[in-house]
Amino acid sequence: MPSAFPNISRIPFEGSKSKKPLAFKHYNASELVDGKTMKEQLRFSVVYWHTFRNRLADPFGAGTAIRPWDDGTESVKNAQNRVHAAFEFIEKLGAPFYAFHDRDVAPEGSTLKQTNKNLDAVVRVLKEEQKRTGIRLLWGTACLFAHPRYVHGAATSCNADVFAYAAAQMKKAIEVTHELGGEGYVFWGGREGYSTLWNTNMKRELDHLARFLHMAVDYKKRIGFKGQFYIEPKPKEPTKHQYDSDAAACLNFLREYDLIGQLKLNLETNHATLAGHTMQHELEVAAAADALGSIDANTGDPLLGWDTDQFLTDVYLTTQCMLAILKMGGFRTGGVNFDAKVRRESFEPVDLFHAHIGGMDAFARGLKIAAAIRRDGRLVEFVKQRYSSWDSGIGAKIEAGKINLRELEAYMLKKGEAAPNSSGRQEFLENLINEFI
Ligand code: XLS
Ligand code: NI
Ligand code: NI
């Protein structure tokens, strides 16, 4: 097969003084930060769907992407050829991982049997390429939202046969992920939600979603798949309301249906925005429940109303992400997965490199800045001091559950008034963070 990117060689690290566009200025894979190499800390992953399948259409116009290696057909042969282009790209970029939906890598056939056969034919090539390059699968997933059969959802469809089809498709996708040594498997609730409550039995749909996930957990154990399961919150798009709307809603759902501990969260920056939260908020919520698993890195556009999934280049945001990741002791099974696409106007193959290089450099800076903030210690110390009234005296007694309402009343009646508050020092802290950026 001819090279898909003949004029591009392996992207080197050149340092911050470099003016070469196809070089890393900050991501130096082998450099140690906080005891691990950048490669180990960041665990970058390239997504198959946006990077190799997205035609760059928008709601107002056709796709613009020029992808010379792709013949534009839905044949298995074309899908197999595309694998070579994908691995050439990921290898030249130097990302250690990739992620896919079953239908990104192989075309749908006219029956489930034929579809599974198509998938197997492409998985063979993926396996060969993983072996040749050492690139690994961060996570796999099933596309349970694109085909018209999923118009009313998959696990939450009103049509029981659709649930059965989705279950069979998911079973196969878990098997394939397992076969490829995948480190995880993601459940993003594509159309698991509603567009109007007039036609929806919400309780029944949620029960079905839980049943679906329990089946997945059981099957995972049965086949000995050791990868991490993740649930990916998103509040809307494509449905008006998605059941997995944000980190808190996901955790509540997992607890209610006795699934907590079985799934961690895969948090996407732009989904946090869509939910009306910050990514920092979502990260904190997940980490507090020991459920922070992986990150889908991207961003929306403040002036556009749809899920643009642009590459994340905001160093302030990557710093917040990496602070949360370092705080929990680093990624275990997850990574920084670029669930992002180039813009419609950036249609040449080389733009895929510019986009990923920018994202990787932004996260490398975020990592280095976050590590420096932690080494400096002032931020952590400030927060620690802010809560020091809980470390002894009345605070310690409340935390330990050693005091009741009557005793608290007696304490305050004697004291007369609460101790004075200290300033929250928000501006001081913002300035402190900017010292490092
Ligand atoms: C869509 C989601 C999707 C998941 C994988 O908004 O981000 O791409 O990451 O199904
Ligand atoms: Ni998304
Ligand atoms: Ni995503």
Side-chain angles (χ1 to χ4, degrees), residues 50 188 232 234 268 270-271 274 296 298 307 309 339:
H50 283 316
W188 168 58
E232 182 176 323
K234 184 176 184 180
E268 181 161 318
N270 194 34
H271 295 179
L274 291 171
D296 270 9
N298 61 16
D307 192 0
D309 284 356
D339 193 351

Side-chain angles (χ1 to χ4, degrees), residues 5-244:
F5 306 92
N7 305 319
I8 297 169
S9 38
R10 172 95 192 205
I11 306 301
F13 168 71
E14 291 198 348
S16 58
K17 301 255 163 3
S18 170
K19 296 277 179 268
K20 202 170 140 194
L22 294 180
F24 293 114
K25 318 292 186 297
H26 302 279
Y27 178 61
N28 182 7
S30 60
E31 186 180 325
L32 285 176
V33 180
D34 225 23
K36 284 193 234 163
T37 64
M38 283 202 191
K39 185 176 166 186
E40 292 163 335
Q41 290 282 23
L42 293 160
R43 293 168 59 91
F44 286 128
S45 163
V46 172
V47 305
Y48 217 91
W49 54 101
H50 283 316
T51 299
F52 307 110
R53 300 310 312 276
N54 201 310
R55 305 300 308 164
L56 306 184
D58 71 14
F60 300 92
T64 57
I66 299 172
R67 305 288 182 252
W69 57 85
D70 201 307
D71 69 13
T73 69
E74 283 299 320
S75 71
V76 171
K77 189 88 219 111
N78 189 33
Q80 290 173 324
N81 287 342
R82 195 186 289 125
V83 174
H84 294 285
F87 276 75
E88 182 186 338
F89 175 82
I90 303 168
E91 205 183 9
K92 285 181 168 172
L93 184 68
F97 291 103
Y98 74 112
F100 67 72
H101 302 84
D102 48 3
R103 298 298 171 263
D104 307 328
V105 291
E108 179 120 16
S110 53
T111 61
L112 180 60
K113 202 166 174 187
Q114 184 58 49
T115 302
N116 287 347
K117 227 175 116 197
N118 293 351
L119 185 55
D120 286 333
V122 180
V123 165
R124 265 201 306 282
V125 187
L126 287 168
K127 209 170 175 178
E128 282 165 21
E129 285 293 86
Q130 285 189 197
K131 211 164 156 213
R132 181 183 69 76
T133 58
I135 292 161
R136 289 180 290 152
L137 180 62
L138 188 69
W139 48 262
T141 186
C143 176
L144 303 178
F145 45 89
H147 192 281
R149 86 174 66 81
Y150 296 124
V151 61
H152 300 308
T156 64
S157 174
C158 48
N159 179 346
D161 250 17
V162 171
F163 181 104
Y165 195 107
Q169 189 180 328
M170 164 189 69
K171 173 179 173 288
K172 178 72 180 169
I174 294 174
E175 286 163 6
V176 158
T177 301
H178 184 36
E179 188 183 340
L180 291 170
E183 300 207 0
Y185 186 92
V186 163
F187 297 87
W188 168 58
R191 292 181 195 274
E192 314 295 23
Y194 61 80
S195 285
T196 173
L197 283 171
W198 294 125
N199 67 14
T200 302
N201 185 333
M202 188 193 281
K203 168 79 172 117
R204 218 164 169 184
E205 293 199 358
L206 286 167
D207 288 350
H208 296 166
L209 183 57
R211 174 74 33 115
F212 191 80
L213 292 175
H214 271 291
M215 285 180 187
V217 169
D218 290 346
Y219 191 64
K220 173 191 185 197
K221 289 185 184 143
R222 199 193 155 109
I223 63 172
F225 175 51
K226 296 274 182 295
Q228 176 66 50
F229 274 179
Y230 305 100
I231 195 161
E232 182 176 323
K234 184 176 184 180
K236 55 189 169 186
E237 299 180 12
T239 67
K240 180 161 86 177
H241 176 86
Q242 308 260 139
Y243 293 134
D244 303 331

